[in-house]
Amino acid sequence: MASQTKLKILNDPIYGFITIPNERIFKIIEHPYFQRLRRISQMGLSYLVYPGAHHTRFHHALGCVHLMQKAVRVLRYKGVQISEEEEEALLIAILMHDIGHGPFSHAMEHSLVEGVDHETISLLFMEEMNAEFNQSLTLAIRIFKGSYERRFMNQLISSQMDMDRLDYLKRDSFYSGAVEGNINSERIITMLNVVNDELVVEEKGIYSVEKFLIGRRLMYWQVYLHKTSLVAEQLLIRVLVRAKELIGQGHDLHASGSLMYFLKNRVTREDFDAGTLNMFSRLDDNDVISAMKEWMYSDDFVLSNLCEMIINRNLLKVKIKKKRPSAEKLEKRSKALQKKYNISEKEASYFVFEGEIANLAYKREKDNINILHKNGKINDIVKVSDQFNLKALTNTVTKYYMCYPKVKD
């Protein structure tokens, strides 16, 4: 009897048609935990700078699956043995690698939960779904955790040139319009190979790898660490911290049940049980936006102003310098604000603050990007590149920012 399984294809603006290879992967995509990613923005509040950057984690995860399928095909063609079970595990691991992201991607990790990063929550989701899917995600979890014995498979999921980076740079470049990140991810994948269980790039792909590293550096400065995105994310973190503080003092704030759960409770890794995970799975960007629209009218000076700044894009002024701003400068700004609005030093600290940002395009001490020469020799990309500034990309560049309100006299 003929199989009733229909081929599932999705249209993607970056790669064209993406094929969902089997029923299990399709069921994972259909699961409410995964569908939530449609409501989590891939680039946080970057749309306040780049109006097109409204794409979601859902988009990105599917793009990663497409690239992983291509990588498996290329490696098999070159004689690398990958079983069907391993292939499915690779696709599931990359599909679910970001499932633990909270509202606006990274802001949540610094405000609503304590010391619980999105990778940890992704793993909790995967383990929960593994129980639902009759333990069929076990191998995917091992690869995701980096504990599978075939090292190159772990590298395809998480390394300095994994499928995650190859998709998000190209995708974020497309949606933001910042062309510097438009890397040739499919060309890089075509050049992949495996030697001694390590992922390598054949010599012909060297310029594509150089473009990838330079593109990554430029995307960080121009997009991910753009000063307006930076200040917006800092304000969002402070909104959630302030709301938590006010609720702790007995103030009556309105928010969705799931957001309220994280505002009322201190949530650490130890507290993250099945009930907490279920609450987290109900949380997305919409909870935070609708709460801020309410809180704009709060009688708390700090909360209402922070929310208004984000909702109406009336953000703080931000200066980025090579040196840390002096305590005197901060104090001067803070004092002016306290005087103008008759607020306390603590309240002023929500609007006047400093911090640092760092950009490291290529970390040399682990998971090097290795180039395979025609004679079989293997070298780190930095050693073989004639691109004079590639070595500079191995240094961390740190800059300091200072944020304060645009105070009019």
Side-chain angles (χ1 to χ4, degrees), residues 335-349:
K335 286 273 196 294
L337 196 66
Q338 289 169 49
K339 189 177 172 191
K340 186 175 170 76
Y341 294 107
N342 192 24
I343 56 173
S344 68
E345 187 183 342
K346 185 178 189 305
E347 287 170 318
S349 71

Side-chain angles (χ1 to χ4, degrees), residues 35-52:
Q35 288 293 317
R36 182 185 75 96
L37 295 182
R38 290 182 185 272
R39 303 183 301 277
I40 303 282
S41 123
Q42 167 75 8
M43 289 174 65
L45 288 160
S46 290
Y47 60 78
L48 294 175
V49 184
Y50 298 99

Side-chain angles (χ1 to χ4, degrees), residues 189-203:
I189 290 171
T190 308
M191 294 295 129
L192 290 179
N193 210 329
V194 174
V195 177
N196 299 332
D197 205 36
E198 296 266 342
L199 215 51
V200 292
V201 181
E202 289 163 359
E203 198 174 355

Side-chain angles (χ1 to χ4, degrees), residues 295-312:
W295 298 343
M296 271 169 75
Y297 305 103
S298 160
D299 51 15
D300 178 68
F301 176 88
V302 173
L303 188 64
S304 61
N305 277 284
L306 290 173
C307 291
E308 189 275 332
M309 284 174 171
I310 297 173
I311 296 293
N312 295 331

Side-chain angles (χ1 to χ4, degrees), residues 27 102 323:
K27 281 183 175 158
K323 285 169 95 173

Side-chain angles (χ1 to χ4, degrees), residues 182-372:
N182 187 15
I183 56 160
N184 196 341
S185 46
E186 300 193 66
R187 161 88 178 160
I188 291 172
I189 290 171
T190 308
M191 294 295 129
L192 290 179
N193 210 329
V194 174
V195 177
N196 299 332
D197 205 36
E198 296 266 342
L199 215 51
V200 292
V201 181
E202 289 163 359
E203 198 174 355
K204 283 186 292 186
I206 196 163
Y207 301 120
S208 303
V209 175
E210 288 179 354
K211 172 97 179 348
F212 162 78
L213 289 172
I214 292 163
R216 180 172 149 78
R217 176 182 177 273
L218 294 173
M219 282 294 282
Y220 267 84
W221 284 136
Q222 205 171 324
V223 179
Y224 308 128
L225 298 174
H226 187 288
K227 63 178 191 173
T228 307
S229 306
L230 177 78
V231 76
E233 183 168 294
Q234 287 299 322
L235 286 171
L236 180 56
I237 290 166
R238 283 162 170 74
V239 162
L240 297 169
V241 168
R242 183 61 172 180
K244 223 174 177 176
E245 195 179 337
L246 292 172
I247 285 166
Q249 291 166 4
H251 288 255
D252 187 24
L253 291 184
H254 296 286
S256 67
S258 47
L259 181 56
M260 200 50 95
Y261 175 86
F262 287 94
L263 292 172
K264 280 184 171 169
N265 298 293
R266 181 169 175 258
V267 178
T268 63
R269 175 64 189 89
E270 288 68 42
D271 308 314
F272 231 100
D273 56 18
T276 309
L277 192 67
N278 181 47
M279 273 297 179
F280 189 88
S281 75
R282 289 163 47 184
L283 202 54
D284 58 51
D285 291 8
N286 299 326
D287 297 82
V288 176
I289 290 281
S290 52
M292 286 195 294
K293 283 165 72 182
E294 280 282 307
W295 298 343
M296 271 169 75
Y297 305 103
S298 160
D299 51 15
D300 178 68
F301 176 88
V302 173
L303 188 64
S304 61
N305 277 284
L306 290 173
C307 291
E308 189 275 332
M309 284 174 171
I310 297 173
I311 296 293
N312 295 331
R313 199 191 178 279
N314 176 27
L315 305 168
L316 296 173
K317 200 167 173 52
V318 56
K319 281 192 174 162
I320 295 185
K321 296 276 172 73
K322 287 182 179 170
K323 285 169 95 173
R324 194 180 285 282
S326 66
E328 294 78 44
K329 269 187 184 170
L330 280 162
E331 196 180 351
K332 188 182 167 197
R333 297 275 178 199
S334 175
K335 286 273 196 294
L337 196 66
Q338 289 169 49
K339 189 177 172 191
K340 186 175 170 76
Y341 294 107
N342 192 24
I343 56 173
S344 68
E345 187 183 342
K346 185 178 189 305
E347 287 170 318
S349 71
Y350 278 94
F351 304 97
V352 179
F353 52 87
E354 51 97 23
E356 64 179 62
I357 47 174
N359 188 353
L360 173 62
Y362 182 52
K363 242 188 211 158
R364 280 191 79 183
E365 66 272 13
K366 75 173 197 61
D367 268 329
N368 292 359
I369 298 173
N370 287 321
I371 302 296
L372 172 66

